[in-house]
Amino acid sequence: MQLFIEQVLNGVGNGVVYGSVALALVLIFRTTGVLNFAQGEMALFSTYISWKLTTTGMPVVAAIAISMAISFVAGAFIERTLIRPMEGRSALNVVIITLGLFLGLNSLVQLLFGTDPQQMPSPFPEGSIPFIGDARIQKETIGLILVLFAECLGLWLLLNRTKLGLKLRAVASNPDSARLHGIRAGSMLMLGWAMSAALGAVAGSLVASERTGFDSSLMQTILVYALAAAALGGFESIWGAIICGIA
């Protein structure tokens, strides 16, 4: 029974990782109507920025915060320069662009940071605490769960309880109708990409920190599971992505 409980807890830890990436996929889909296949590699690039900052002696939490800010700007730039020109065209064009971005970012990471495995420090304390019987749960797993819950709650409040969230959802649902109501659709779409990129920066950094080492292939397998979790939970359901990621 102890072994079973510990394996379930390990599974929950992995599921939280999948759910965090699925959350970024759901966010960009709910705010822009686009399925971003480059989400994992965008998170990977942000993770390397976080890691590089920690090598200068910067605290890991501060490094993640800075990489989030950089990713926010980069996400807005990608939407403005690559996605915006495709507005009004076939959705297949956007899919092809995100796939190209996937390949381009992965190659750029290898060019700038190399292919050797790196170690990302964890923002959470080491060790474990008693859970049930003799089974123990890692403090890092608890930290991941708390961060993911905070992200879910924040996004749910943003999209369902604020005027900004209503504008984002309106543009994703019907951009032309939203424009007729005075909503700046372009700004909302750019904001959706920016927020998704920032959220991916958190997910990527946390994923890397719980591994013994990471390289340019870090997010590829995780993206497959995250896509499955987002699809199973419904691409418009924040809580569905999390629950299915853990499942």
Side-chain angles (χ1 to χ4, degrees):
M1 178 58 71
Q2 177 186 348
L3 178 61
F4 173 77
I5 294 174
E6 289 178 349
Q7 291 301 316
V8 168
L9 292 177
N10 290 336
V12 169
N14 290 330
V16 169
V17 168
Y18 305 145
S20 63
V21 180
L23 191 60
L25 291 169
V26 168
L27 173 61
I28 199 167
F29 188 83
R30 287 197 63 174
T31 55
T32 68
V34 172
L35 183 57
N36 182 15
F37 290 99
Q39 186 68 59
E41 301 312 288
M42 290 170 63
L44 174 69
F45 196 89
S46 302
T47 299
Y48 269 94
I49 293 176
S50 299
W51 164 77
K52 194 65 177 179
L53 291 172
T54 61
T55 61
T56 65
M58 181 179 294
V60 62
V61 174
I64 293 174
I66 292 176
S67 73
M68 284 181 64
I70 295 174
S71 299
F72 186 91
V73 175
F77 178 78
I78 289 173
E79 193 282 331
R80 178 69 69 174
T81 57
L82 297 179
I83 306 300
R84 184 75 58 87
M86 295 296 105
E87 187 175 0
R89 301 187 184 183
S90 170
L92 181 61
N93 291 341
V94 178
V95 171
I96 293 173
I97 287 175
T98 59
L99 289 174
L101 190 60
F102 172 96
L103 297 173
L105 285 175
N106 189 272
S107 298
L108 185 60
V109 163
Q110 296 182 53
L111 180 65
L112 294 178
F113 303 104
T115 58
D116 294 333
Q118 306 296 344
Q119 180 63 53
M120 179 74 177
S122 176
F124 307 114
E126 298 181 354
S128 60
I129 60 174
F131 185 65
I132 298 177
D134 294 329
R136 303 180 68 85
I137 182 171
Q138 296 295 317
K139 293 180 180 178
E140 189 173 45
T141 300
I142 298 174
L144 288 170
I145 292 173
L146 292 177
V147 169
L148 186 59
F149 179 80
E151 290 176 344
C152 286
L153 183 60
L155 287 178
W156 184 83
L157 290 174
L158 171 66
L159 295 175
N160 294 280
R161 292 293 185 269
T162 67
K163 290 184 178 180
L164 176 60
L166 181 61
K167 291 179 181 179
L168 288 167
R169 290 188 291 120
V171 170
S173 177
N174 193 324
D176 294 331
S177 179
R179 288 188 181 95
L180 292 175
H181 284 80
I183 299 174
R184 298 178 62 184
S187 297
M188 293 299 103
L189 292 172
M190 186 170 63
L191 180 60
W193 273 82
M195 291 193 301
S196 177
L199 195 62
V202 178
S205 297
L206 294 181
V207 168
S209 69
E210 59 103 19
R211 301 295 176 91
T212 55
F214 73 97
D215 56 22
S216 59
S217 65
L218 171 69
M219 300 300 296
Q220 293 175 9
T221 302
I222 292 173
L223 180 63
V224 173
Y225 286 109
L227 281 167
L232 185 60
F235 278 105
E236 295 204 3
S237 174
I238 291 174
W239 297 105
I242 301 307
I243 293 171
C244 292
I246 294 174

